[in-house]
Structures are given as C-alpha cells and as structure tokens.
Amino acid sequence: MTRYLSEHCAGLRDPAKDAVAVEQFEVFTGDRRRRGLLPPLMTVADLNEELIDGFIEWRRDAGDVGETINRKLATIRGAVNREWKKRRITEKPYIQQVPEEECSGPRELEWSIEQVAAILEATWATPDRRHVHLFALVSLSTHARTDAILDCDLDAQRRGKLIDWLRPGEKLTRKRRSIVPIAPSLGTWLEGRTGKLIQYRVPVAERRWTDPVVPEWFERPTSDIGKALSAAVVAAGLAHPSLGLVKPLIGADGEQAMRTFTKRDAATGKIRAPQLLWRPLGTPNTFRHTCHTYCETIGVPPAQIDLAAGHAPRRGSGRNYSHLRPEYLREFVAAIEAYWGEMDAITQVHRRNHGGTKIVYLPSARPAAL
C-alpha cells in the first residue's frame, strides 16, 4: 500500500483521498492486532472476506455511506491489483464491496424541488453545514461537476460575470470543464467572496473575539462534502418523512441498524441513547442531475445543457471566445432563474437577503387547515 501511494496515487489530482483510506485501514487492522484477531505481521493472505466485512462495518459505524466505503475499498483493491500485475505477490485476494442496495442510490437520481427545499433548509440550519448550502446553490445554478466546484478558486477562475471551471494551467481532459455565466440568484451569494469557493466555516466562541489574534471565524478549504451532505439529507428526511429522502439502514440481522455511544456527552455528562441509522438517498452529484433534468423539462436547448455540463467538445478558439457572445447560454440562465423562482413558493433559504431561514410547510406536509 505504501508503494501504491508513492508510485501511483502521488500523480493523481487528489492523492489525499487514497492516503486517508490507507490510514483508516491501518487503524482498523492495528486495533484487530491488539485484540489478537490478526497476527503481528499481516500478509496479503489475511485480506479475507471476514476482515473486509469488519472494515465495512467499522466505517459504517463511523458514519460513512456505502459509496464512500466503496471508494476506500477501491484503494485497497488497487494496491493489491498493482502488486499482482507487477508479480510482487503470487495471489490476488478478492476484496468485496458494499452491495448497491446498501448505497445511496443510482447516480441518475434527481431530487424534486420540495426535496431540494428541505435539504437547503437542513444545510443552512447548522453552521457547520453551510459550506454544503453554498455548494448546492452553485451546483444547481451552474450544472458544474462536483470536483470542479470543490477545486474552484474564485480569484483565479471568476471572469467578471462568468466562472471558468478549468483552473489556470490545467489541461482540458475527457471530463471537460466549461465556462458558465453566473446566474443573478447565485451572484448575490458570490459577492465579496474571494479565494477558495467552498470552505468549511464555523464561528469562534464570542468570548474569544476580544483577542486580536483570534479571528471571529474558523475557516478551512474542503475537498469533500459527502458526509456533511448525507447528514443534512438525513435531517431533512426525518423532518419531512413524506419526501422519501431516507430509508432505514438494515443490518446483517435484517433489522434497522443502530449507532451506539460509549463516550459521555460533554454537555450532559451522560452517555447518549442508541440512534437508528438511516440511508440518505442522493449524493453531491444529485444536484447536478437535478439541474440537468429541470432544464430538459422546461425546454432548454440540449446544446446549451451539454455545454454548461461540460459534455460538448470545446477545443481551440471555440472555448476561448464563444462565451463572449451576448446570447451565450441565455436560455440556460433563464431556466436557472425560473427554478429559483419556483423555489420562492416553498422557502427563502436560497436567497441571500432572506435574513435567516423562513420555515414553511412543504406541500406534502401542509396541514389541512392551511
């Protein structure tokens, strides 16, 4: 695994993800060795089905969803496959993955406008999820790829009223990155923002504000929002059960799995009661699919949808100058504004000047008296 990280993963765009997977696997196997469940010196032969099942359950208890666990298993599998191809090992063990039915769902899933409203409310309600709120607004307003949004640096990639999802000096790959106009509804959220577009940001305790060295906010760039979004989708799904955003997470015994706690809560001094575990339906990429489906539904020209999504081939001067035309992606931007206009009837949490969340009854949860 060390060779895999240094010889293969080091050349990838985000090698840290593979490094985290290996580190977590080492923590897991180290704990098993201390408990006498593994020999002091592991070999490839120890990578059996029982061990991998244990790692899956360990990561699930930590809050990882099926897709996240499978990505980490892919790192382990990739290391083994590489050693086998280079004939450094004589056998290649089978490393299973989380079954599809235990993952968040198909990538082509899209959310209804009521589901998106509930998710936006859930992301805004908790300060440490507000970077997910901004991510959702950007994804739904631009049709951009998830990694392009997380990589974006506004100082380098904002061109007036446009965002160029291709970073300076980066080559255009098979997954093309386009230049997209900033729709007015999104533009208000980007006013005054500089640097990394998506940053984890939480307020520092007010008692520390008097210290000139301590800022009022703690910020750090983030390259993954999967876990925070999953938590928000679960919160939205439990708040609005009729929207169908969550399903019970079923354990090996056929019953809904539960998360148990061993440490005492800092505020109450008590150990929290076990919690039922839920499977959120959707991933960060679901916002992109939702945008695509809505634009198709209201008749945006397919060429504009594909261009915004990065599907249309743009080489040479075509990419450099097409965005300068006054009509560039005009129908696409109009569709985005229409989408947020429809959202106004449900919530105002997508508006920069909303002054706090405006909780209203979603149509599926509206009492008869209203």
Side-chain angles (χ1 to χ4, degrees), residues 309-339:
H311 293 159
R314 284 285 167 183
R315 296 184 177 89
S317 62
R319 184 182 191 280
N320 293 330
Y321 298 107
S322 60
H323 62 276
L324 300 177
R325 300 171 183 168
E327 72 278 6
Y328 181 68
L329 295 184
R330 178 178 292 172
E331 288 88 346
F332 173 79
V333 173
I336 298 304
E337 288 304 293
Y339 181 83

Side-chain angles (χ1 to χ4, degrees), residues 117-138:
I119 294 170
L120 289 176
E121 295 282 7
T123 56
W124 186 260
T126 306
D128 59 1
R129 294 180 192 156
R130 290 190 178 175
H131 62 299
V132 184
H133 180 270
L134 179 60
F135 173 90
L137 297 177
V138 174

Side-chain angles (χ1 to χ4, degrees), residues 239-308:
H240 303 281
S242 61
L243 292 180
L245 283 167
V246 293
K247 289 185 178 181
L249 183 62
I250 305 301
D253 58 357
E255 301 293 331
Q256 184 171 2
M258 300 192 72
R259 181 182 181 185
T260 57
F261 300 90
T262 57
K263 295 182 179 180
R264 296 185 181 277
D265 185 86
T268 64
K270 299 180 179 179
I271 297 177
R272 286 187 288 173
Q275 292 181 350
L276 292 171
L277 293 179
W278 300 88
R279 178 163 65 90
L281 300 183
T283 66
N285 219 34
T286 306
F287 289 117
R288 175 175 160 91
H289 290 298
T290 299
C291 175
H292 189 107
T293 300
Y294 181 82
C295 289
E296 281 188 336
T297 301
I298 68 171
V300 176
Q304 291 196 27
I305 300 175
D306 288 342
L307 183 56

Side-chain angles (χ1 to χ4, degrees), residues 90-270:
T90 57
E91 294 185 8
K92 181 176 64 171
Y94 170 72
I95 298 177
Q96 69 273 24
Q97 63 181 11
V98 179
E100 184 178 344
E101 59 270 18
E102 296 180 18
C103 295
S104 296
R107 291 186 177 273
E108 62 271 13
L109 173 73
E110 63 265 349
W111 286 313
S112 68
I113 195 166
E114 292 82 10
Q115 289 175 321
V116 171
I119 294 170
L120 289 176
E121 295 282 7
T123 56
W124 186 260
T126 306
D128 59 1
R129 294 180 192 156
R130 290 190 178 175
H131 62 299
V132 184
H133 180 270
L134 179 60
F135 173 90
L137 297 177
V138 174
S139 182
L140 289 165
S141 299
T142 64
H143 203 349
R145 301 182 189 278
T146 295
D147 56 352
I149 299 173
L150 295 176
D151 289 344
C152 181
D153 185 312
L154 289 175
D155 293 341
Q157 295 175 247
R158 179 165 45 189
R159 300 187 185 180
K161 296 183 178 180
L162 302 167
I163 291 182
D164 187 350
W165 294 117
L166 188 67
R167 293 179 297 182
E170 186 177 30
K171 293 183 179 179
L172 202 61
T173 64
R174 179 174 56 85
K175 290 188 174 182
R176 302 181 182 279
R177 296 190 176 188
S178 57
I179 301 173
V180 179
I182 301 173
S185 294
L186 175 63
T188 59
W189 288 94
L190 301 186
E191 289 176 3
R193 284 188 173 270
T194 58
K196 192 83 183 308
L197 174 58
I198 305 299
Q199 296 192 58
Y200 177 82
R201 185 187 192 200
V202 292
V204 174
E206 290 188 30
R207 58 185 172 80
R208 303 185 65 187
W209 286 4
T210 55
D211 186 345
V213 179
V214 179
E216 295 182 8
W217 295 87
F218 166 75
E219 290 185 329
R220 63 170 168 79
T222 181
S223 60
D224 187 2
I225 63 162
K227 186 178 292 187
L229 175 61
S230 293
V233 174
V234 169
L238 296 181
H240 303 281
S242 61
L243 292 180
L245 283 167
V246 293
K247 289 185 178 181
L249 183 62
I250 305 301
D253 58 357
E255 301 293 331
Q256 184 171 2
M258 300 192 72
R259 181 182 181 185
T260 57
F261 300 90
T262 57
K263 295 182 179 180
R264 296 185 181 277
D265 185 86
T268 64
K270 299 180 179 179

